Amino acid sequence: MAAQTPGPQREIRRRNLSRVLYAVAQQGPSSRAAVATRLGLTRTAVSTLVDELLRGGLLTEQGPAPAAGGPGRPGTALALPDSGPCGLGAEIGVDHLAVCAIDLRGRVRARAEADSPGRDSVPDAVLTPLRELVDQVAARARELGLAPAALAVAVPGLVTRGTATVVRAPNLGWHGVDLTPPLAEAGAERDPLPLLVDNEANLGALAELWLSGGRVPRDFVHVSAEVGIGAAVVLDGALLRGHRGFAGEMGHMPVHPDGERCACGGRGCLEQYAGEPALLRAAGIPADGPRAAALAALRQSAASGCVRALDALGTAGGALGLALAGTVNLLDPRALVLGGVLARFAPWLLPSLERELRERTAAPGALPELLVSELGADGPLLGAAHTAVRVVLDDPLAYPAGRRG
Amino acid sequence: MAAQTPGPQREIRRRNLSRVLYAVAQQGPSSRAAVATRLGLTRTAVSTLVDELLRGGLLTEQGPAPAAGGPGRPGTALALPDSGPCGLGAEIGVDHLAVCAIDLRGRVRARAEADSPGRDSVPDAVLTPLRELVDQVAARARELGLAPAALAVAVPGLVTRGTATVVRAPNLGWHGVDLTPPLAEAGAERDPLPLLVDNEANLGALAELWLSGGRVPRDFVHVSAEVGIGAAVVLDGALLRGHRGFAGEMGHMPVHPDGERCACGGRGCLEQYAGEPALLRAAGIPADGPRAAALAALRQSAASGCVRALDALGTAGGALGLALAGTVNLLDPRALVLGGVLARFAPWLLPSLERELRERTAAPGALPELLVSELGADGPLLGAAHTAVRVVLDDPLAYPAGRRG
């Protein structure tokens, strides 16, 4: 995988190598013929690309491929390797940290979690243990024959487009925190790994797009809650980032303009009705202990028919319906996807949510499809790890398996 | 411009011919060398393309071109012709009809207007006079040596993506009206013209994008009012249409959820506070006469400091600010553009609009640029006519000047 060919040719080769890897990633083990058909390339061209990827360790050969339906000798099946480059994903939650490594096949191979000091701690109090966690997972990955190739980090805040700077993470109390210095060497054995930092809602939406097996379409709005509420808009398979990178702040869409004061400076923001603290408060459940316990208590109250819990969830669903009605009127998406805590409480949120949506969308005909995420709380972490894997799939010339981070 | 080359080559040729036309359209009269530089093509390639366009009458040569800064003999300047194919644009307003023809240079060459029977008339009562108006303008264009090549129509309603069907135009009382049969032969001398139908707010936004001379950036949200309120989202120079074609219904974003009932079935929609009828009602100005007179009266009241008029405009501006705050939080656009009636009343709308926007946008730093359209009420009509011209610029092989519609 030397880079001796001139620029434009190298770029075409890089792109075609990448297309072969994505074809195998999406189809599963495939013959050369199946890859050629899918990509609209000749079998000769695909064979040349495949040979290069086999030499670089970015593809492996397995037993005979599933019948390709065409003439010619039965080929062996091409598969992505379970060794070689891997992606590291990390999630900074308000009260927890999580890191995982996934191989090129997309399987989680190593994982570690820890509590986080949480709100209003200095960034280093969070980033030092995060770095240790990344190093642990990277070391375990290397023991398994994997080579961490990139690190992507999900944060509960706004990240300036194209940078690693968290300009504002209200639930952490962070303003203008550049993650590059504290994480520059995280997970690295020698050279620093490429570091990508993105909003957790963005990465959660990408996880839906990439991992739902087609259940989630390529045009949707994803809304999720952890402590805050975040959303992401995906158009034709691409994330809408916005001019500065701040798109998707649905938590601060005004739903009751004269309502509760919000930390953002506004009033009656969605987060004041459907965010986790608002929900727990309305349901009368103390929120000063661990989040998991409070959420379990809310779930139990709702399941046992407690009127106060059901009212709180109904109010939250109605507020979500208002914000989503505005969103649907503005964007006409094909689907809406509820993720994170919203997915967990969907049975109790959906009736009032759907009622508002039905009454307040101007366009005739069917509403967008309303889907509930099946990724649980792991969406942002998996979205981050897959983002790191895609750094390899996007540029196979830069990450031959033999080169270790 | 015969079509004897095989498919893919013909497609590349078509695309390059189109790029040359857009280069001249955007740069104004240009030398071959300047076109070659702009497009990154060789001068030989550009000369071949230019010769074909000159033969087809889609380019003309003028006196010496502005100095190209490079060596070689001074060329003549290439320009778009003021004869040959032209675009027809039409606008169906609630109480008026307008049609114009523009040449490839983008200049309006013929124009006609008429009152429309307006609200709750049967579609034919509007479409028959519209067709006559289109025929008049097309005949006048032919007298001037122009050949109408396509007709684009702006409607105050929702149009299903990729069709000519108005699924809902509440201010006309239309539901499911296909414009193809009544307008199939409008403006045509022999064969029917290609017919494009789009929402007026979409075409108004495209006019801002194409005609502002760079004042409006390539990422913006355009919000305009005539009788209703419409909006359009432009991302990286392309209109966001939405899954069904219904994006941009900002008029029905809920701003005061328990507020006034709206014809859409919702409550407290933006249109109930910032739409023209709501505005006139709040200002105490009778809305049963001609729209122009009522709007002039509102303007005069505001200019003379009438408290009731100023309050009405302040309330409308605040409601717009609420809807735009939600929009900015969701999409993080680079600019917001006020068009139509909103542009005319901008001085009185902006203070409360900007206050809401400042207080309710979550992301730190500068707000999107707030621009006021300079196209007046003509945006949708010009957007339609330029859409029709682009049908020619997009596919020069199909519209040589010698071939008349």
Side-chain angles (χ1 to χ4, degrees):
Chain A
M1 302 219 170
Q4 283 149 357
T5 43
Q9 280 178 40
R10 180 180 154 89
E11 179 52 30
I12 292 169
R13 188 162 59 101
R14 187 195 63 71
R15 184 155 173 272
N16 281 331
L17 291 167
S18 174
R19 291 176 69 210
V20 170
L21 289 181
Y22 275 106
V24 176
Q26 280 154 21
Q27 299 184 131
S30 319
S31 67
R32 286 163 174 79
V35 171
T37 303
R38 184 174 176 114
L39 299 183
L41 295 173
T42 63
R43 286 180 65 160
T44 313
V46 166
S47 282
T48 307
L49 295 163
V50 163
D51 287 347
E52 182 166 356
L53 292 165
L54 288 168
R55 279 198 307 276
L58 293 175
L59 280 180
T60 57
E61 285 185 296
Q62 299 181 330
R73 66 181 170 84
T76 51
L78 302 167
L80 291 166
D82 57 5
S83 60
C86 72
L88 300 177
E91 185 187 9
I92 300 176
V94 173
D95 57 2
H96 74 287
L97 301 173
V99 177
C100 73
I102 62 172
D103 61 25
L104 294 186
R105 296 182 180 179
R107 289 187 314 182
V108 175
R109 302 291 295 279
R111 179 173 178 142
E113 309 202 26
D115 288 341
S116 169
R119 291 168 201 257
D120 303 319
S121 48
V122 294
D124 274 352
V126 173
L127 295 171
T128 303
L130 182 73
R131 190 200 147 160
E132 286 164 8
L133 224 51
V134 173
D135 286 341
Q136 269 175 40
V137 169
R140 176 73 190 125
R142 288 192 182 91
E143 286 167 21
L144 296 168
L146 294 163
L151 168 64
V153 184
V155 294
L158 296 171
V159 180
T160 303
R161 194 168 175 160
T163 75
T165 296
V166 182
V167 281
R168 180 167 171 167
N171 292 316
L172 293 172
W174 291 8
H175 292 269
V177 178
D178 181 0
L179 300 197
T180 311
L183 297 182
E185 310 203 339
E189 204 172 40
R190 236 179 18 235
D191 299 328
L193 303 181
L195 173 67
L196 299 117
V197 178
D198 205 346
N199 175 270
E200 62 179 4
N202 284 352
L203 292 168
L206 290 174
E208 296 295 336
L209 178 70
W210 294 333
L211 305 178
S212 77
R215 197 176 73 96
V216 170
R218 289 166 57 80
D219 286 273
F220 65 97
V221 174
H222 180 254
V223 52
S224 60
E226 300 305 329
V227 174
I229 284 186
V233 178
V234 175
L235 298 171
D236 196 22
L239 197 61
L240 171 76
R241 295 197 170 272
H243 178 53
R244 296 167 297 170
F246 302 163
E249 280 297 286
M250 194 185 284
H252 300 284
M253 282 179 86
V255 292
H256 295 291
D258 302 318
E260 304 281 330
R261 271 264 166 236
C262 180
C264 79
R267 262 187 190 284
C269 298
L270 174 60
E271 210 156 284
Q272 295 304 315
Y273 304 91
E276 199 178 289
L279 196 50
L280 293 172
R281 193 167 56 240
I285 293 168
D288 47 356
R291 280 180 62 214
L295 290 172
L298 177 59
R299 198 184 155 88
Q300 198 174 350
S301 297
S304 64
C306 157
V307 173
R308 189 164 175 191
L310 294 176
D311 279 354
L313 288 160
T315 301
L320 278 163
L322 276 167
L324 288 172
T327 303
V328 168
N329 282 324
L330 194 62
L331 301 179
D332 185 22
R334 178 147 170 216
L336 302 172
V337 183
L338 299 189
V341 170
L342 299 181
R344 200 164 153 199
F345 290 97
W348 300 286
L349 296 167
L350 283 175
S352 53
L353 189 163
E354 286 190 282
R355 190 167 53 242
E356 292 290 349
L357 209 50
R358 246 192 330 268
E359 280 176 11
R360 293 179 188 276
T361 44
L367 288 176
E369 212 178 338
L370 202 44
L371 300 169
V372 177
S373 167
E374 293 175 354
L375 297 177
D378 269 352
L381 180 65
L382 293 174
H386 278 266
T387 294
V389 159
R390 281 175 172 245
V391 170
V392 180
L393 300 183
D394 286 341
D395 191 5
L397 290 170
Y399 297 93
R403 225 185 77 181
R404 298 292 160 98
Chain B
M1 300 217 173
Q4 283 148 359
T5 44
Q9 278 177 41
R10 180 179 154 89
E11 179 51 31
I12 292 169
R13 189 161 59 100
R14 187 195 63 73
R15 184 154 172 274
N16 281 332
L17 291 167
S18 174
R19 292 176 68 208
V20 170
L21 289 181
Y22 275 107
V24 176
Q26 281 154 21
Q27 297 185 131
S30 320
S31 68
R32 287 164 174 79
V35 172
T37 304
R38 184 174 175 116
L39 299 183
L41 295 174
T42 64
R43 285 178 67 158
T44 313
V46 166
S47 283
T48 307
L49 294 163
V50 163
D51 287 347
E52 181 165 358
L53 292 165
L54 288 169
R55 278 197 307 277
L58 293 174
L59 280 181
T60 57
E61 284 184 296
Q62 300 180 328
R73 66 180 169 85
T76 52
L78 301 167
L80 291 166
D82 57 5
S83 60
C86 74
L88 300 177
E91 185 188 9
I92 300 175
V94 173
D95 58 1
H96 75 288
L97 301 174
V99 177
C100 73
I102 63 172
D103 61 25
L104 294 186
R105 294 182 181 178
R107 288 187 314 181
V108 175
R109 301 290 296 280
R111 178 171 178 144
E113 309 203 27
D115 288 341
S116 171
R119 290 168 202 257
D120 302 320
S121 49
V122 294
D124 274 350
V126 173
L127 295 172
T128 303
L130 182 72
R131 193 202 143 159
E132 285 163 11
L133 224 50
V134 173
D135 286 340
Q136 268 174 43
V137 168
R140 177 73 190 128
R142 287 192 184 93
E143 286 167 23
L144 297 167
L146 294 163
L151 168 63
V153 184
V155 294
L158 297 170
V159 180
T160 303
R161 193 168 177 160
T163 75
T165 296
V166 182
V167 283
R168 181 169 170 165
N171 292 317
L172 293 173
W174 291 7
H175 291 269
V177 178
D178 181 358
L179 300 197
T180 311
L183 296 182
E185 311 205 338
E189 205 173 38
R190 236 177 21 232
D191 298 330
L193 304 181
L195 173 67
L196 300 119
V197 179
D198 205 346
N199 176 272
E200 61 179 5
N202 284 351
L203 292 169
L206 290 174
E208 295 296 336
L209 177 70
W210 294 333
L211 305 178
S212 78
R215 199 176 70 97
V216 170
R218 290 166 57 80
D219 287 272
F220 65 97
V221 174
H222 180 254
V223 54
S224 61
E226 300 303 330
V227 174
I229 285 186
V233 179
V234 174
L235 298 170
D236 197 21
L239 196 62
L240 171 75
R241 296 198 168 272
H243 177 52
R244 294 167 298 169
F246 302 163
E249 280 296 287
M250 194 186 283
H252 300 283
M253 284 181 83
V255 292
H256 294 291
D258 302 319
E260 304 283 328
R261 272 263 167 237
C262 180
C264 79
R267 259 185 193 286
C269 299
L270 173 60
E271 211 157 282
Q272 296 303 317
Y273 304 91
E276 200 178 289
L279 196 48
L280 293 172
R281 195 167 52 240
I285 291 169
D288 47 358
R291 280 181 62 213
L295 291 172
L298 176 59
R299 200 183 154 88
Q300 198 175 351
S301 297
S304 66
C306 158
V307 173
R308 188 162 175 195
L310 295 176
D311 279 354
L313 287 160
T315 301
L320 277 164
L322 276 166
L324 287 172
T327 302
V328 168
N329 283 323
L330 194 61
L331 302 179
D332 186 22
R334 175 144 171 222
L336 302 172
V337 183
L338 298 190
V341 171
L342 300 180
R344 201 164 153 199
F345 290 97
W348 301 286
L349 296 167
L350 283 174
S352 53
L353 189 163
E354 286 189 282
R355 190 168 53 243
E356 292 291 350
L357 208 50
R358 247 192 331 268
E359 279 177 10
R360 294 178 187 278
T361 44
L367 288 176
E369 213 179 337
L370 202 45
L371 300 169
V372 177
S373 167
E374 294 175 354
L375 297 178
D378 269 353
L381 180 66
L382 293 175
H386 278 268
T387 295
V389 159
R390 283 176 170 243
V391 170
V392 180
L393 301 183
D394 286 343
D395 191 4
L397 290 171
Y399 297 93
R403 225 184 77 181
R404 300 290 161 96

